[in-house]
Amino acid sequence: MDYPGAWPSPPATSPANRALALLRRRGASLAHRLLPRCCALCSLPLDDPAERRLGWCGSCAASLPGVDAPRCPVCAQRDPGGALLPRTAILAGPARGLPCQACRNAPPPYERTVALADYAPPLDRLILALKFGHAVSLAGPLGAALAARIDFPLDLVLPIPLSAQRLAERGFNQSWLIARAIAGAHGGAATRGKSPAHEAGVLTRVRHDPPQSLQPLRERAANLRGAFGCQRDLTGLRVALVDDVMTSGATFAEAARTARNAGAAFVATIVAARTPRS
Ligand SMILES: [Zn+2]
Ligand SMILES: [Zn+2]
């Protein structure tokens, strides 16, 4: 129905509307066809539309390594109590649990870490497929699953940047894809319904380093000093730094220091997978 002052809309049967409706139907069916048909983790066929949207099957989701394990709220290492804290102390602590002994001895420059599961089979295969197999559609489900675990408000979600050389080699930054998905999905009650922004290019890689995985753990922190730059004022902002995997935490620590120097009031780190302590 047309109202005074409104633009007259074309009749529903007009050729323009019929073409639009056809395009919408085709678009929806194309989007459905583009969803994965097989579980990214076990390769079994996905029949459930919800599982197809997720990208992996329900039994794989439930069996991710350490997906429900208690983790240190600061560094996301599994079993934060371990031999050092009795289980009762964890249960008696804040709802999120107490920081692990390592975080209490030497608090890292970030307040919280959120991880989906351990970097172990089959989650490692999924991350390698995203990173090197160009299975970029996996970033969306990963980001949504991570966003569901974030119980604190955020203003800004920043991917850990690749160097210009590595970005050129790979063609995309998997961390940016995950960060974008997290920002899109985050916005529940804990965040007062407000979705954070996600921005590439705020944190920049100042120089090209050899891959961290090729360096001894002890040397990573020293090699990373001054590796990042920050291109905007973050004063008072609650910032999340996003990457696919956290191993020693050295990359996140240096990026968090850079964000803090730019004024960030709160820094969290968010990773798809956490490498367990060896
Ligand atoms: Zn599966
Ligand atoms: Zn910890």
Side-chain angles (χ1 to χ4, degrees), residues 160-208:
I160 296 288
L162 297 176
S163 68
Q165 183 178 328
R166 190 144 307 119
L167 187 60
E169 286 163 6
R170 193 171 298 162
F172 65 99
N173 180 358
Q174 72 283 352
S175 305
W176 179 79
L177 295 172
I178 301 172
R180 184 179 62 167
I182 290 171
H186 187 47
T191 66
R192 300 177 209 112
K194 186 169 157 264
S195 293
H198 68 93
E199 288 185 29
V202 172
L203 275 185
T204 50
R205 188 70 80 147
V206 174
R207 56 167 197 267
H208 179 72

Side-chain angles (χ1 to χ4, degrees), residues 126 128-139 172 177:
L126 191 142
L128 291 175
L130 165 64
K131 209 163 165 175
F132 302 112
H134 286 240
V136 291
S137 62
L138 294 173
F172 65 99
L177 295 172

